[in-house]
Amino acid sequence: IQGGRYNRQAGEHFNPYTFADIPTIADHLHYLGNNSHAGNERSDRAGGGHAHAGAMIYLGGVWPAEYRNQIIMNNIHGQRLNMDILKPSGSGYVGSHGPDFLLTQDKASQMLNFRYGQDGQVIVIDWYDMQACHDPHTDAHDRSNGRIYKVVYGDANAKTQAVDLTKRSDVELADMMLNQNDWYVRHARRVLQERSTAGKLDEAALARLREIAGSHADETRRLRALWALHAMGNLTDALIAAKFKDDNEYVRGWAIQLALDGERLNANKWLEQFAAMAQSDPSPVVRLYLASALQRLPLDDRWAILAGLTSHAEDASDHNLPLMVWYAAESLGEADPQRALAFGLSCGKTNPRIREFMLRRIASIDSPAALATLVDGLTKSNDADEQLAILDGIRQALRGQRQVAPPANWPAAYQHAMANANQQVRDAATGLGVTFGDAAAMDSFRQLAASPSANAAARRAALESLLAAKDSQLMPVLQKLLGDGALRDVALMGLAQYDDPQTPTMLLNVYSQLSPSEKRAALATFCARPSYGIALLNAVAAKQIAATDLPADLVRQLQNHKNEEIDKLLADLWGTVRSTPADKTDLMASLKQKISAPASLPPDPMLGRAVFTKTCGQCHTLYGVGAIIGPDLTGSNRGDVEYLLSNVVDPSAIMAKEYQPTVIITMDGRVVTGIVTKEDDKSITIQTATEAVVLPQGEIEERELSDASMMPDDQLKQFSDHETLSLFAYLMGKAQAPMLATNDNAAALFNGRDLTGWSGDPQLWSVENGEIVGRSPGLAHNSFLISDLHAADFKFSFDIKLVDNVGNTGVQFRSQSLQGYDEVQGYQADAGPDWWGKLYEEHGRELIWDKSGEEFLKPGEWNRYEICAKGSHVQTWINGHPCVDLYDPNGQRRGLFGLQIHSGEAMEVRFRNLQLEVIDGK
């Protein structure tokens, strides 16, 4: 639902104006998360894998109390039944992983359904089949050996007694609403409903149900009686009205639902009551029922109830309510834009998300009058937050349209917004002016984007606005920004939009200076157009660009051009792709033999992670790290080598519909390959392996749904045997592995923007102005910021500033994580008064080089620190002066990098210009 999407192949239509969906209530994953240092070494500890089938909330009344009201469900790859604990939270629940209910240790077990019966025990239907996942080399499921069995608590030999409720009296059936086993409740209600329909119901049973519903019995039994009366058509308005005032929030909520449940809906008699409850009922549960009920009401009847629901500021952080209220309010945006604008703006202080969505919804109406209504609202507002919300709402709604004709009242609104003292408002107004084709706004943003002294975030936003409008005068700015580290990544991707003969040469000129992620962006731009692709392949042939830099997925992108010259160059450089079934079968057999045979050089999972990150990680996530273009691999059947081989060698054999790529050719010759994530009548968003590309529908010349996966055949060809075996060792592992630093990824140690690739306490560590900042309020224990990268032989240099030269810090290298980022063991290049230039072994031999480098220090200022480790030789320098010079045959030869905040007094330390060089590529 998120963002709206129309699937042309399936013919499925989703409301494009929901804007967001309500996520899972689970607060956990049944597999390892993204912190490789958290100590979770096996998915077993988290409850198995991500694929589930069958679910039951146990209400049978015989099993011990700790199982009642909990969800029990089958975990396919975990070979177990998970049990989740439901805890009330706001308007709903949070589901937390409890102790697993049952472990089968049987890979064929596929428990699809569970039901408790009249004896309170549970019947299980088990589709017993080794085909747990898609396997293109297995023709069919085994349907011959399914099982049905019972899970029993108590006497396993006790026989189940036959029960025939049709022989019970109406009053006896009514009394079953009090039964502990919900099986009796449900079937008694069914029999009562059948008798009522046949006109054979005893009035005494109705009296008994009304008695239970109005009693002081617990809410579950009262609700059962209400449901029974409703099922028989005997729930009176008087009883419903009484239940609106019940002490229990769930009874009040169900009274709302039952009041509106029927084919001949007459809601008018309840509208005043609902509006009062929306305003004054203290329960978020009741407000959730009201929000749900709104979708059964005519649009004109919703306004007063919505006003009450959105008056509760505490609901803004509720899991369900903001979106449920929005789903009820959404249609009002088109029904009455002016009234909807007033309603949306009224939510600004209590529920800003509803304000945001309503403004977007009004701006999405294909009507100049609706857009003019928002622009008029901008002119009338003097509140910066409100103005910014209106501008952002319009800009989001118009995203994907290069140019839109401005309404007549735009110049006055623009002048009003530009008079605001808030820079964000002025920038947002200029950005909207770009979409409206305002020449002055476009020129202003070109100057801002090109100004190295301006705020980096503002420059980036300006450049992205100009690219979204496909500014015809932007090319010189983009080419100039290839030399600007702050915006180079946006410029590299933006150049793909423009067909310019100078671009390939300019990309080649800067290529050697680019970081790994920037090289990836440059290569993607090279592959976007036939002429660029030919230039790239000629550069590879001339060894200006290493052939190993070109990943297999971009080879697939080049093939999508269907250009004879490109195909010939690819055949010369890449070789013939092994694409026939026989080729793939032979390759899988060869790889299986290599994986199972002893290797002269043992597979290295750390190297495997580096290979994964360079290739598979561009589309897939494993242990919470990577892209989300393809399926998350964490919970898949990775332990089965045949499953892995079939998916790696023959990825196109079976593709889920949602991962089937689309190939688009634009009017000016650009080729875009990726997954369609959003589409409407104006634009399409397609997620490529490097970026999300938004294209106006009018720019598309050809569009084709590909039967070839984005994950190309023969992608292993680019790796050595050791790299391939290491990749499979990593993929088949049961825990996240650190990543080996290589010449390809060393520059990615720190991206200068955020802590991607690092793990640490977010309350202590942050990034400011391209610097890693550690701030301590005073700690009882050391804390560390730990990099995913591990290295053996290396040179590592960085600038460090210990503010006021107060406290103690250091840099870990060749170290190991003991307890996440709380405990680390290994070498530490020390920093701090009386410790500068010394070498310490954390959780080991302690001080192993005691000579100080304090004399070379600039206290409280930036100091250049260098570390070199090669074999057993460890050296350090401060500001170019030698400090440590140690041969240490007993030290670790490979390990992680980390930054320390020492226990003790409050302190602040900063790091910048981190540079890692791997020696000999190891």
Side-chain angles (χ1 to χ4, degrees), residues 441-502:
M442 298 180 91
D443 186 61
S444 172
F445 262 15
R446 286 187 212 110
Q447 293 181 42
L448 175 59
S451 173
S453 60
N455 176 271
R459 295 179 67 205
R460 181 174 291 263
L463 185 57
E464 289 172 345
S465 292
L466 293 166
L467 284 168
K470 203 173 182 180
D471 174 19
S472 61
Q473 299 180 46
L474 189 60
M475 177 64 71
V477 176
L478 292 174
Q479 292 175 340
K480 179 181 178 182
L481 290 175
L482 291 178
D484 188 329
L487 291 184
R488 184 187 290 126
D489 58 332
V490 183
L492 286 166
M493 291 184 286
L495 284 167
Q497 288 195 32
Y498 300 90
D499 191 359
D500 186 287
Q502 297 302 315

Side-chain angles (χ1 to χ4, degrees), residues 145-464:
N145 58 354
R147 304 181 296 181
I148 298 177
Y149 50 87
K150 181 181 286 189
V151 180
V152 175
Y153 177 80
D155 185 358
N157 296 316
K159 292 184 177 180
T160 301
Q161 299 298 316
V163 175
D164 185 357
L165 295 185
T166 63
K167 297 180 179 179
R168 303 294 183 90
S169 72
D170 294 350
V171 173
E172 287 177 313
L173 293 173
D175 277 334
M176 285 183 185
M177 298 305 108
L178 304 176
N179 198 293
Q180 183 74 3
N181 184 349
D182 196 64
W183 184 92
Y184 285 93
V185 178
R186 288 184 286 108
H187 287 281
R189 184 166 59 239
R190 173 183 57 81
V191 176
L192 285 170
Q193 183 180 17
E194 292 168 354
R195 292 178 183 177
S196 176
T197 301
K200 299 178 180 179
L201 192 66
D202 187 340
E203 181 62 34
L206 292 175
R208 178 62 177 140
L209 289 171
R210 294 189 189 102
E211 179 186 356
I212 296 171
S215 71
H216 293 288
D218 68 73
E219 67 273 11
T220 300
R221 289 168 171 79
R222 302 208 305 281
L223 284 171
R224 287 169 171 176
L226 288 173
W227 295 333
L229 288 166
H230 175 69
M232 293 182 289
N234 286 282
L235 186 58
T236 64
D237 287 352
L239 185 53
I240 290 175
K243 292 306 165 188
F244 287 153
K245 301 175 182 179
D246 196 277
D247 289 341
N248 184 271
E249 58 189 350
Y250 292 99
V251 175
R252 299 198 301 277
W254 268 100
I256 295 166
Q257 179 168 336
L258 296 178
L260 299 183
D261 188 23
E263 294 181 5
R264 293 183 296 276
L265 180 64
N266 181 11
N268 290 334
K269 56 189 170 185
W270 306 119
L271 293 179
E272 187 176 339
Q273 178 69 49
F274 287 173
M277 295 176 76
Q279 186 72 42
S280 62
D281 195 292
S283 169
V285 171
V286 173
R287 295 196 288 275
L288 179 63
Y289 276 86
L290 286 166
S292 301
L294 281 174
Q295 298 194 54
R296 300 217 70 196
L297 300 180
L299 296 183
D300 285 345
D301 292 340
R302 300 183 186 184
W303 294 101
I305 301 170
L306 282 168
L309 289 176
T310 54
S311 68
H312 300 272
E314 66 271 24
D315 290 344
S317 59
D318 188 85
H319 185 88
N320 307 301
L321 276 167
L323 287 174
M324 286 300 296
V325 172
W326 165 242
Y327 300 152
E330 175 268 317
S331 298
L332 299 175
E334 189 159 8
D336 190 338
Q338 289 191 340
R339 190 173 181 183
L341 173 61
F343 165 74
L345 294 179
S346 73
C347 299
K349 300 293 190 246
T350 58
N351 210 317
R353 198 175 194 190
I354 294 176
R355 178 182 67 178
E356 171 198 345
F357 287 173
M358 184 56 80
L359 295 171
R360 283 176 62 185
R361 179 66 181 93
I362 297 168
S364 301
I365 301 170
D366 192 10
S367 162
L371 192 55
T373 295
L374 287 174
V375 171
D376 186 54
L378 177 64
T379 306
K380 292 177 178 177
S381 176
N382 292 309
D383 181 273
D385 179 65
E386 195 169 84
Q387 287 184 315
L388 192 59
I390 294 172
L391 288 163
D392 286 347
I394 298 174
R395 294 181 72 192
Q396 286 203 55
L398 300 183
R399 188 169 182 260
Q401 301 178 66
R402 300 292 191 200
Q403 297 277 295
V404 176
N409 56 349
W410 167 247
Y414 181 56
Q415 186 176 7
H416 179 65
M418 294 303 290
N420 196 302
N422 188 301
Q423 183 66 47
Q424 286 184 293
V425 172
R426 298 198 302 272
D427 287 346
T430 306
L432 183 54
V434 168
T435 303
F436 285 152
D438 187 313
M442 298 180 91
D443 186 61
S444 172
F445 262 15
R446 286 187 212 110
Q447 293 181 42
L448 175 59
S451 173
S453 60
N455 176 271
R459 295 179 67 205
R460 181 174 291 263
L463 185 57
E464 289 172 345

Side-chain angles (χ1 to χ4, degrees), residues 594-616:
K594 290 178 180 178
I595 290 170
S596 59
S600 57
L601 184 60
D604 183 351
M606 293 189 192
L607 173 60
R609 182 175 174 189
V611 173
F612 176 90
T613 300
K614 182 179 179 181
T615 54
C616 320

